[in-house]
mmCIF file of all heavy atoms in Angstrom:
data_model
loop_
_atom_site.group_PDB
_atom_site.id
_atom_site.type_symbol
_atom_site.label_atom_id
_atom_site.label_comp_id
_atom_site.label_asym_id
_atom_site.label_seq_id
_atom_site.Cartn_x
_atom_site.Cartn_y
_atom_site.Cartn_z
ATOM 1 N N PRO A 1 0.736 -1.217 0.038
ATOM 2 C CA PRO A 1 -0.053 -0.040 0.023
ATOM 3 C C PRO A 1 0.829 1.248 -0.019
ATOM 4 O O PRO A 1 1.825 1.415 0.877
ATOM 5 C CB PRO A 1 -0.803 -0.171 1.304
ATOM 6 C CG PRO A 1 -0.004 -1.039 2.139
ATOM 7 C CD PRO A 1 0.667 -1.953 1.372
ATOM 8 N N PRO A 2 0.600 2.159 -0.899
ATOM 9 C CA PRO A 2 1.309 3.445 -0.914
ATOM 10 C C PRO A 2 1.049 4.360 0.370
ATOM 11 O O PRO A 2 1.918 5.127 0.737
ATOM 12 C CB PRO A 2 0.769 4.171 -2.175
ATOM 13 C CG PRO A 2 0.109 3.173 -2.938
ATOM 14 C CD PRO A 2 -0.405 2.089 -2.097
ATOM 15 N N GLU A 3 -0.012 4.023 1.028
ATOM 16 C CA GLU A 3 -0.242 4.793 2.354
ATOM 17 C C GLU A 3 0.686 4.563 3.324
ATOM 18 O O GLU A 3 0.799 5.251 4.446
ATOM 19 C CB GLU A 3 -1.665 4.372 2.751
ATOM 20 C CG GLU A 3 -2.801 4.789 1.821
ATOM 21 C CD GLU A 3 -3.050 3.929 0.741
ATOM 22 O OE1 GLU A 3 -2.385 2.962 0.593
ATOM 23 O OE2 GLU A 3 -3.858 4.395 -0.180
ATOM 24 N N VAL A 4 1.554 3.605 3.190
ATOM 25 C CA VAL A 4 2.632 3.345 4.225
ATOM 26 C C VAL A 4 3.839 4.221 4.082
ATOM 27 O O VAL A 4 4.623 4.459 5.005
ATOM 28 C CB VAL A 4 3.025 1.842 4.129
ATOM 29 C CG1 VAL A 4 4.189 1.551 5.087
ATOM 30 C CG2 VAL A 4 1.930 0.899 4.462
ATOM 31 N N ILE A 5 4.026 4.912 2.820
ATOM 32 C CA ILE A 5 5.200 5.667 2.535
ATOM 33 C C ILE A 5 5.276 6.732 3.530
ATOM 34 O O ILE A 5 6.545 6.952 3.941
ATOM 35 C CB ILE A 5 5.004 6.244 1.042
ATOM 36 C CG1 ILE A 5 5.139 5.083 0.164
ATOM 37 C CG2 ILE A 5 6.164 7.173 0.796
ATOM 38 C CD1 ILE A 5 5.032 5.429 -1.436
ATOM 39 N N PRO A 6 4.319 7.693 3.923
ATOM 40 C CA PRO A 6 4.634 8.573 4.769
ATOM 41 C C PRO A 6 5.162 8.134 6.186
ATOM 42 O O PRO A 6 5.967 8.776 6.713
ATOM 43 C CB PRO A 6 3.208 9.220 5.149
ATOM 44 C CG PRO A 6 2.394 9.006 3.849
ATOM 45 C CD PRO A 6 2.920 7.615 3.416
ATOM 46 N N GLU A 7 4.706 6.981 6.686
ATOM 47 C CA GLU A 7 5.293 6.351 7.815
ATOM 48 C C GLU A 7 6.706 6.099 7.693
ATOM 49 O O GLU A 7 7.591 6.120 8.617
ATOM 50 C CB GLU A 7 4.475 5.175 8.340
ATOM 51 C CG GLU A 7 4.967 4.406 9.518
ATOM 52 C CD GLU A 7 5.021 5.295 10.809
ATOM 53 O OE1 GLU A 7 4.349 6.423 10.819
ATOM 54 O OE2 GLU A 7 5.703 4.926 11.757
ATOM 55 N N MET A 8 7.113 5.438 6.524
ATOM 56 C CA MET A 8 8.572 5.186 6.218
ATOM 57 C C MET A 8 9.221 6.429 6.324
ATOM 58 O O MET A 8 10.416 6.392 6.966
ATOM 59 C CB MET A 8 8.523 4.592 4.852
ATOM 60 C CG MET A 8 8.038 3.110 4.727
ATOM 61 S SD MET A 8 8.358 2.498 3.051
ATOM 62 C CE MET A 8 8.133 0.716 3.279
ATOM 63 N N LEU A 9 8.854 7.481 5.672
ATOM 64 C CA LEU A 9 9.679 8.776 5.680
ATOM 65 C C LEU A 9 9.728 9.319 6.996
ATOM 66 O O LEU A 9 10.743 9.772 7.416
ATOM 67 C CB LEU A 9 8.976 9.703 4.736
ATOM 68 C CG LEU A 9 9.775 10.984 4.421
ATOM 69 C CD1 LEU A 9 11.076 10.920 3.912
ATOM 70 C CD2 LEU A 9 8.867 11.995 3.502
ATOM 71 N N ARG A 10 8.629 9.310 7.809
ATOM 72 C CA ARG A 10 8.790 9.808 9.123
ATOM 73 C C ARG A 10 9.788 9.017 9.988
ATOM 74 O O ARG A 10 10.540 9.606 10.737
ATOM 75 C CB ARG A 10 7.312 9.683 9.789
ATOM 76 C CG ARG A 10 7.202 10.288 11.095
ATOM 77 C CD ARG A 10 5.931 9.812 11.959
ATOM 78 N NE ARG A 10 6.058 8.403 12.376
ATOM 79 C CZ ARG A 10 6.788 7.992 13.325
ATOM 80 N NH1 ARG A 10 7.439 8.860 14.126
ATOM 81 N NH2 ARG A 10 6.844 6.673 13.566
ATOM 82 N N ARG A 11 9.697 7.694 9.925
ATOM 83 C CA ARG A 11 10.667 6.865 10.722
ATOM 84 C C ARG A 11 12.087 7.078 10.311
ATOM 85 O O ARG A 11 13.031 7.186 11.217
ATOM 86 C CB ARG A 11 10.337 5.352 10.538
ATOM 87 C CG ARG A 11 9.161 4.906 11.256
ATOM 88 C CD ARG A 11 9.329 3.501 11.798
ATOM 89 N NE ARG A 11 10.490 3.507 12.629
ATOM 90 C CZ ARG A 11 11.002 2.350 13.104
ATOM 91 N NH1 ARG A 11 10.601 1.160 12.647
ATOM 92 N NH2 ARG A 11 12.155 2.303 13.886
ATOM 93 N N ALA A 12 12.359 7.326 8.969
ATOM 94 C CA ALA A 12 13.663 7.681 8.635
ATOM 95 C C ALA A 12 14.230 8.981 9.117
ATOM 96 O O ALA A 12 15.368 9.050 9.507
ATOM 97 C CB ALA A 12 13.764 7.695 7.043
ATOM 98 N N ARG A 13 13.368 10.001 9.266
ATOM 99 C CA ARG A 13 13.919 11.184 9.799
ATOM 100 C C ARG A 13 13.813 11.230 11.324
ATOM 101 O O ARG A 13 14.880 11.609 11.953
ATOM 102 C CB ARG A 13 12.821 12.355 9.309
ATOM 103 C CG ARG A 13 13.009 12.670 7.828
ATOM 104 C CD ARG A 13 11.807 13.556 7.311
ATOM 105 N NE ARG A 13 12.200 14.237 6.100
ATOM 106 C CZ ARG A 13 11.302 14.959 5.368
ATOM 107 N NH1 ARG A 13 10.109 15.048 5.774
ATOM 108 N NH2 ARG A 13 11.660 15.488 4.231
ATOM 109 N N VAL A 14 12.772 10.736 11.966
ATOM 110 C CA VAL A 14 12.801 10.902 13.381
ATOM 111 C C VAL A 14 13.732 9.914 13.960
ATOM 112 O O VAL A 14 14.445 10.194 14.976
ATOM 113 C CB VAL A 14 11.316 10.470 13.882
ATOM 114 C CG1 VAL A 14 11.292 10.314 15.477
ATOM 115 C CG2 VAL A 14 10.416 11.502 13.367
ATOM 116 N N ASP A 15 13.954 8.708 13.521
ATOM 117 C CA ASP A 15 14.834 7.662 14.067
ATOM 118 C C ASP A 15 16.219 7.717 13.423
ATOM 119 O O ASP A 15 17.037 6.848 13.904
ATOM 120 C CB ASP A 15 14.219 6.319 13.949
ATOM 121 C CG ASP A 15 12.904 6.238 14.691
ATOM 122 O OD1 ASP A 15 12.721 7.029 15.605
ATOM 123 O OD2 ASP A 15 12.175 5.295 14.315
ATOM 124 N N GLY A 16 16.469 8.597 12.450
ATOM 125 C CA GLY A 16 17.684 8.666 11.884
ATOM 126 C C GLY A 16 18.192 7.359 11.111
ATOM 127 O O GLY A 16 19.347 6.889 11.158
ATOM 128 N N LEU A 17 17.184 6.723 10.311
ATOM 129 C CA LEU A 17 17.537 5.573 9.647
ATOM 130 C C LEU A 17 17.750 5.761 8.170
ATOM 131 O O LEU A 17 17.249 6.751 7.607
ATOM 132 C CB LEU A 17 16.117 4.741 9.673
ATOM 133 C CG LEU A 17 15.651 4.377 11.174
ATOM 134 C CD1 LEU A 17 14.327 3.463 11.143
ATOM 135 C CD2 LEU A 17 16.741 3.559 11.897
ATOM 136 N N ASP A 18 18.620 5.091 7.644
ATOM 137 C CA ASP A 18 18.930 4.984 6.357
ATOM 138 C C ASP A 18 18.113 4.041 5.442
ATOM 139 O O ASP A 18 18.075 4.131 4.226
ATOM 140 C CB ASP A 18 20.471 4.774 5.987
ATOM 141 C CG ASP A 18 21.207 5.941 6.421
ATOM 142 O OD1 ASP A 18 21.136 7.050 5.820
ATOM 143 O OD2 ASP A 18 21.992 5.759 7.472
ATOM 144 N N VAL A 19 17.565 2.973 6.106
ATOM 145 C CA VAL A 19 16.758 2.046 5.383
ATOM 146 C C VAL A 19 15.536 1.761 6.250
ATOM 147 O O VAL A 19 15.626 1.624 7.446
ATOM 148 C CB VAL A 19 17.531 0.673 5.245
ATOM 149 C CG1 VAL A 19 16.801 -0.323 4.545
ATOM 150 C CG2 VAL A 19 18.841 0.971 4.429
ATOM 151 N N VAL A 20 14.404 1.692 5.620
ATOM 152 C CA VAL A 20 13.136 1.374 6.257
ATOM 153 C C VAL A 20 12.448 0.252 5.345
ATOM 154 O O VAL A 20 12.092 0.597 4.193
ATOM 155 C CB VAL A 20 12.140 2.479 6.502
ATOM 156 C CG1 VAL A 20 10.823 2.029 7.173
ATOM 157 C CG2 VAL A 20 12.832 3.657 7.338
ATOM 158 N N HIS A 21 12.403 -0.962 5.919
ATOM 159 C CA HIS A 21 11.851 -2.015 5.159
ATOM 160 C C HIS A 21 10.285 -2.125 5.368
ATOM 161 O O HIS A 21 9.838 -1.896 6.524
ATOM 162 C CB HIS A 21 12.447 -3.359 5.590
ATOM 163 C CG HIS A 21 13.910 -3.523 5.389
ATOM 164 N ND1 HIS A 21 14.423 -3.713 4.118
ATOM 165 C CD2 HIS A 21 14.991 -3.387 6.260
ATOM 166 C CE1 HIS A 21 15.793 -3.793 4.304
ATOM 167 N NE2 HIS A 21 16.097 -3.547 5.535
ATOM 168 N N GLY A 22 9.614 -2.410 4.266
ATOM 169 C CA GLY A 22 8.212 -2.720 4.430
ATOM 170 C C GLY A 22 8.043 -4.185 4.687
ATOM 171 O O GLY A 22 8.441 -4.970 3.880
ATOM 172 N N VAL A 23 7.519 -4.627 5.848
ATOM 173 C CA VAL A 23 7.486 -5.955 6.213
ATOM 174 C C VAL A 23 6.010 -6.350 6.223
ATOM 175 O O VAL A 23 5.087 -5.839 6.777
ATOM 176 C CB VAL A 23 8.079 -6.115 7.586
ATOM 177 C CG1 VAL A 23 7.815 -7.594 8.045
ATOM 178 C CG2 VAL A 23 9.425 -5.740 7.653
ATOM 179 N N ARG A 24 5.722 -7.575 5.510
ATOM 180 C CA ARG A 24 4.367 -8.022 5.403
ATOM 181 C C ARG A 24 3.926 -8.818 6.614
ATOM 182 O O ARG A 24 4.340 -9.933 6.885
ATOM 183 C CB ARG A 24 4.374 -8.991 4.174
ATOM 184 C CG ARG A 24 4.727 -8.313 2.864
ATOM 185 C CD ARG A 24 5.334 -9.252 1.917
ATOM 186 N NE ARG A 24 5.777 -8.601 0.694
ATOM 187 C CZ ARG A 24 6.547 -9.156 -0.160
ATOM 188 N NH1 ARG A 24 6.953 -10.382 -0.098
ATOM 189 N NH2 ARG A 24 6.864 -8.439 -1.366
ATOM 190 N N ALA A 25 3.154 -8.146 7.488
ATOM 191 C CA ALA A 25 2.742 -8.689 8.760
ATOM 192 C C ALA A 25 1.586 -9.751 8.568
ATOM 193 O O ALA A 25 1.356 -10.675 9.325
ATOM 194 C CB ALA A 25 2.215 -7.736 9.712
ATOM 195 N N ASP A 26 0.869 -9.542 7.431
ATOM 196 C CA ASP A 26 -0.255 -10.465 7.179
ATOM 197 C C ASP A 26 -0.222 -10.824 5.672
ATOM 198 O O ASP A 26 -0.537 -9.862 4.850
ATOM 199 C CB ASP A 26 -1.585 -9.818 7.594
ATOM 200 C CG ASP A 26 -2.725 -10.706 7.518
ATOM 201 O OD1 ASP A 26 -2.585 -11.871 7.014
ATOM 202 O OD2 ASP A 26 -3.851 -10.299 7.774
ATOM 203 N N ARG A 27 -0.070 -12.144 5.401
ATOM 204 C CA ARG A 27 -0.089 -12.586 3.997
ATOM 205 C C ARG A 27 -1.240 -13.516 3.788
ATOM 206 O O ARG A 27 -1.293 -14.382 2.916
ATOM 207 C CB ARG A 27 1.148 -13.233 3.573
ATOM 208 C CG ARG A 27 2.407 -12.367 3.807
ATOM 209 C CD ARG A 27 3.725 -13.010 3.206
ATOM 210 N NE ARG A 27 3.531 -13.124 1.865
ATOM 211 C CZ ARG A 27 4.598 -13.095 0.910
ATOM 212 N NH1 ARG A 27 5.861 -12.931 1.489
ATOM 213 N NH2 ARG A 27 4.466 -13.177 -0.304
ATOM 214 N N SER A 28 -2.311 -13.319 4.490
ATOM 215 C CA SER A 28 -3.541 -14.282 4.481
ATOM 216 C C SER A 28 -4.205 -14.236 3.089
ATOM 217 O O SER A 28 -4.832 -15.144 2.716
ATOM 218 C CB SER A 28 -4.499 -13.909 5.695
ATOM 219 O OG SER A 28 -5.024 -12.634 5.467
ATOM 220 N N ARG A 29 -3.945 -13.065 2.327
ATOM 221 C CA ARG A 29 -4.660 -13.057 0.986
ATOM 222 C C ARG A 29 -3.876 -13.716 -0.073
ATOM 223 O O ARG A 29 -4.296 -13.861 -1.171
ATOM 224 C CB ARG A 29 -4.959 -11.553 0.663
ATOM 225 C CG ARG A 29 -5.912 -10.951 1.698
ATOM 226 C CD ARG A 29 -6.398 -9.530 1.184
ATOM 227 N NE ARG A 29 -7.268 -8.973 2.079
ATOM 228 C CZ ARG A 29 -7.955 -7.886 1.971
ATOM 229 N NH1 ARG A 29 -7.680 -7.288 0.838
ATOM 230 N NH2 ARG A 29 -8.800 -7.318 2.880
ATOM 231 N N ASP A 30 -2.555 -14.110 0.194
ATOM 232 C CA ASP A 30 -1.803 -14.892 -0.782
ATOM 233 C C ASP A 30 -2.288 -16.361 -0.618
ATOM 234 O O ASP A 30 -2.735 -16.889 0.370
ATOM 235 C CB ASP A 30 -0.324 -14.861 -0.402
ATOM 236 C CG ASP A 30 0.362 -13.558 -0.656
ATOM 237 O OD1 ASP A 30 -0.242 -12.703 -1.516
ATOM 238 O OD2 ASP A 30 1.398 -13.192 -0.051
ATOM 239 N N THR A 31 -1.954 -17.070 -1.687
ATOM 240 C CA THR A 31 -2.247 -18.537 -1.785
ATOM 241 C C THR A 31 -1.352 -19.303 -0.644
ATOM 242 O O THR A 31 -0.260 -18.716 -0.327
ATOM 243 C CB THR A 31 -2.050 -19.087 -3.008
ATOM 244 O OG1 THR A 31 -0.535 -19.002 -3.340
ATOM 245 C CG2 THR A 31 -2.842 -18.306 -4.090
ATOM 246 N N ALA A 32 -1.837 -20.432 -0.258
ATOM 247 C CA ALA A 32 -1.065 -21.322 0.762
ATOM 248 C C ALA A 32 0.304 -21.506 0.095
ATOM 249 O O ALA A 32 1.263 -21.555 0.905
ATOM 250 C CB ALA A 32 -1.840 -22.463 1.109
ATOM 251 N N PHE A 33 0.392 -21.896 -1.188
ATOM 252 C CA PHE A 33 1.686 -22.131 -1.787
ATOM 253 C C PHE A 33 2.619 -21.049 -1.793
ATOM 254 O O PHE A 33 3.737 -21.164 -1.526
ATOM 255 C CB PHE A 33 1.319 -22.684 -3.270
ATOM 256 C CG PHE A 33 2.643 -23.013 -4.055
ATOM 257 C CD1 PHE A 33 3.322 -24.129 -3.821
ATOM 258 C CD2 PHE A 33 3.162 -22.062 -4.953
ATOM 259 C CE1 PHE A 33 4.469 -24.483 -4.519
ATOM 260 C CE2 PHE A 33 4.228 -22.318 -5.682
ATOM 261 C CZ PHE A 33 5.018 -23.529 -5.419
ATOM 262 N N LYS A 34 2.076 -19.865 -2.111
ATOM 263 C CA LYS A 34 2.817 -18.634 -2.090
ATOM 264 C C LYS A 34 3.426 -18.328 -0.677
ATOM 265 O O LYS A 34 4.603 -17.916 -0.488
ATOM 266 C CB LYS A 34 2.033 -17.367 -2.579
ATOM 267 C CG LYS A 34 2.721 -16.105 -2.586
ATOM 268 C CD LYS A 34 3.802 -16.004 -3.605
ATOM 269 C CE LYS A 34 4.377 -14.644 -3.642
ATOM 270 N NZ LYS A 34 5.448 -14.460 -4.637
ATOM 271 N N ARG A 35 2.570 -18.491 0.353
ATOM 272 C CA ARG A 35 2.982 -18.261 1.676
ATOM 273 C C ARG A 35 4.056 -19.218 2.146
ATOM 274 O O ARG A 35 5.050 -18.942 2.786
ATOM 275 C CB ARG A 35 1.796 -18.391 2.785
ATOM 276 C CG ARG A 35 0.847 -17.134 2.590
ATOM 277 C CD ARG A 35 -0.024 -17.116 3.778
ATOM 278 N NE ARG A 35 -0.851 -18.370 3.942
ATOM 279 C CZ ARG A 35 -1.951 -18.631 3.417
ATOM 280 N NH1 ARG A 35 -2.623 -17.759 2.712
ATOM 281 N NH2 ARG A 35 -2.660 -19.760 3.685
ATOM 282 N N TRP A 36 3.934 -20.489 1.717
ATOM 283 C CA TRP A 36 4.881 -21.607 2.127
ATOM 284 C C TRP A 36 6.202 -21.270 1.397
ATOM 285 O O TRP A 36 7.187 -21.441 2.019
ATOM 286 C CB TRP A 36 4.283 -22.901 1.628
ATOM 287 C CG TRP A 36 5.088 -24.049 1.996
ATOM 288 C CD1 TRP A 36 5.336 -24.646 3.186
ATOM 289 C CD2 TRP A 36 6.088 -24.731 1.099
ATOM 290 N NE1 TRP A 36 6.320 -25.634 3.179
ATOM 291 C CE2 TRP A 36 6.762 -25.809 1.750
ATOM 292 C CE3 TRP A 36 6.274 -24.695 -0.282
ATOM 293 C CZ2 TRP A 36 7.658 -26.646 1.241
ATOM 294 C CZ3 TRP A 36 7.191 -25.540 -0.935
ATOM 295 C CH2 TRP A 36 7.862 -26.511 -0.139
ATOM 296 N N THR A 37 6.173 -21.081 0.081
ATOM 297 C CA THR A 37 7.396 -20.813 -0.629
ATOM 298 C C THR A 37 8.145 -19.578 -0.158
ATOM 299 O O THR A 37 9.411 -19.600 -0.039
ATOM 300 C CB THR A 37 7.251 -20.803 -2.150
ATOM 301 O OG1 THR A 37 6.250 -19.750 -2.400
ATOM 302 C CG2 THR A 37 6.817 -22.085 -2.674
ATOM 303 N N ALA A 38 7.397 -18.560 0.170
ATOM 304 C CA ALA A 38 7.972 -17.278 0.724
ATOM 305 C C ALA A 38 8.668 -17.525 2.036
ATOM 306 O O ALA A 38 9.815 -17.040 2.309
ATOM 307 C CB ALA A 38 6.968 -16.206 0.763
ATOM 308 N N ALA A 39 7.911 -18.277 2.879
ATOM 309 C CA ALA A 39 8.596 -18.433 4.132
ATOM 310 C C ALA A 39 9.798 -19.380 4.073
ATOM 311 O O ALA A 39 10.828 -19.168 4.778
ATOM 312 C CB ALA A 39 7.563 -19.210 5.097
ATOM 313 N N GLY A 40 9.848 -20.295 3.154
ATOM 314 C CA GLY A 40 11.028 -21.144 2.941
ATOM 315 C C GLY A 40 12.160 -20.269 2.416
ATOM 316 O O GLY A 40 13.338 -20.466 2.828
ATOM 317 N N TYR A 41 11.877 -19.282 1.501
ATOM 318 C CA TYR A 41 12.969 -18.467 0.940
ATOM 319 C C TYR A 41 13.548 -17.649 2.008
ATOM 320 O O TYR A 41 14.840 -17.627 2.098
ATOM 321 C CB TYR A 41 12.269 -17.560 -0.171
ATOM 322 C CG TYR A 41 13.182 -16.564 -0.653
ATOM 323 C CD1 TYR A 41 14.176 -16.770 -1.700
ATOM 324 C CD2 TYR A 41 13.073 -15.203 -0.145
ATOM 325 C CE1 TYR A 41 15.000 -15.829 -2.157
ATOM 326 C CE2 TYR A 41 13.920 -14.179 -0.684
ATOM 327 C CZ TYR A 41 14.880 -14.506 -1.639
ATOM 328 O OH TYR A 41 15.698 -13.629 -2.197
ATOM 329 N N TYR A 42 12.697 -16.964 2.750
ATOM 330 C CA TYR A 42 13.305 -16.057 3.866
ATOM 331 C C TYR A 42 14.026 -16.874 4.901
ATOM 332 O O TYR A 42 15.081 -16.339 5.450
ATOM 333 C CB TYR A 42 12.222 -15.144 4.356
ATOM 334 C CG TYR A 42 11.705 -14.187 3.461
ATOM 335 C CD1 TYR A 42 10.428 -14.163 2.951
ATOM 336 C CD2 TYR A 42 12.475 -13.099 3.093
ATOM 337 C CE1 TYR A 42 9.937 -13.254 1.994
ATOM 338 C CE2 TYR A 42 12.075 -12.095 2.261
ATOM 339 C CZ TYR A 42 10.823 -12.230 1.630
ATOM 340 O OH TYR A 42 10.382 -11.319 0.781
#
């Protein structure tokens, strides 16, 4: 979601970060196969 971008920019400035990762907290809308393969990859 693009709506997360302002929070990324805010964290970079307030916390002095050079990298802010977008982390998928909920992948329930992905297929079971996609979730399984992604978990194995990471």
